[in-house]
Amino acid sequence: MIPATKLSVAALIAMGMSLLNISSADAFTLTKIADNSGILSGFPTGEPGINDSGVVAFDASLRAGGEGIFIGNGGALTRIVDTSGIFSSFVNSDLGTRSVVDINNSGTVAFHANLDAGGKGIFTSKDGNLTTIVDTSGKFSGLRNQTINNNGTVVFTGIIDGGNNSGVFTGSGGTPKNYGSVVAPSIHCGAQTRHEQIYLPSILVKINQYYHLGQSQ
């Protein structure tokens, strides 16, 4: 019998040799989407999004001051929104950091923003057209984890006024639909990426019809 220690070393050597034999067809390349050598001074901890065409949506700090949300695929960047207008920042106070920025295959970007006039909301933007999906002027006191599908429907977590309850909702500019409650608002319930499952089995089937990119809805 081969000793366990020798077997482990042999396995590691075999793995190393297999890596050396990777063909050029299996190799990958990195594409720089943006850096801080120009108008952008840095990139916060919010999560960028990417669609099937390789277009990346992200937020960034501006060298001249303020913040912006951009899209790019390796060439010139397109500015989607910034803090020179109705938005004061893209920091989500519920999370203590910048929020998720998401993009679907038609190029619609979904994001969380704080408003100059007070309150906050989840918005989408495409071709310069801004749509309010939901804001905190109604029953919600907090919003987080927005994700958008190819039909333009956004799924998000909404914190109900008072902070004692939260739920998973969808919206596309009208009244959001409620698909289930979360026991405590501190539970991280889902829509960070399209490839994660929401942690609520009772509503998983309903949410999945809105949740996956590249799937006919």
Side-chain angles (χ1 to χ4, degrees):
M1 178 180 293
I2 301 176
T5 53
K6 291 184 178 180
L7 181 61
S8 297
V9 171
L12 289 173
I13 292 174
M15 290 173 62
M17 292 301 293
S18 67
L19 290 174
L20 291 175
N21 291 326
I22 292 177
S23 68
S24 59
D26 295 324
F28 62 89
T29 58
L30 296 176
T31 299
K32 182 175 71 174
I33 303 299
D35 62 27
N36 63 350
S37 65
I39 65 170
L40 308 181
S41 61
F43 305 93
T45 56
E47 297 184 20
I50 186 170
N51 66 14
D52 287 352
S53 298
V55 179
V56 176
F58 63 95
D59 67 332
S61 299
L62 302 174
R63 190 169 303 282
E67 307 161 15
I69 291 177
F70 298 82
I71 60 173
N73 61 0
L77 297 176
T78 299
R79 187 180 309 213
I80 301 301
V81 291
D82 59 29
T83 52
S84 65
I86 65 172
F87 301 124
S88 60
S89 79
F90 304 110
V91 174
N92 191 326
S93 58
D94 297 327
L95 302 174
T97 183
R98 303 281 180 91
S99 187
V100 179
V101 180
D102 200 19
I103 183 170
N104 67 10
N105 282 348
S106 67
T108 302
V109 177
F111 59 95
H112 175 284
N114 299 309
L115 296 163
D116 285 338
K120 48 196 165 185
I122 291 172
F123 305 86
T124 61
S125 180
K126 181 183 179 183
D127 299 328
N129 298 314
L130 187 68
T131 300
T132 301
I133 301 300
V134 62
D135 60 32
T136 54
S137 64
K139 66 180 180 179
F140 296 110
S141 58
L143 304 162
R144 62 180 71 162
N145 303 330
Q146 66 281 349
T147 302
I148 188 169
N149 73 359
N150 285 334
N151 282 348
T153 300
V154 177
V155 60
F156 63 93
T157 305
I159 310 301
I160 309 301
D161 283 342
N164 295 319
N165 297 288
S166 61
V168 177
F169 300 82
T170 61
S172 55
T175 302
K177 298 178 181 179
N178 187 351
Y179 284 95
S181 298
V182 182
V183 175
S186 60
I187 293 176
H188 178 77
C189 66
Q192 285 280 350
T193 72
R194 300 179 187 87
H195 307 293
E196 290 180 305
Q197 289 187 334
I198 291 176
Y199 306 149
L200 302 174
S202 64
I203 62 170
L204 183 58
V205 174
K206 291 181 180 178
I207 291 301
N208 271 344
Q209 64 182 306
Y210 297 100
Y211 199 61
H212 295 291
L213 180 68
Q215 186 173 337
S216 178
Q217 307 297 334

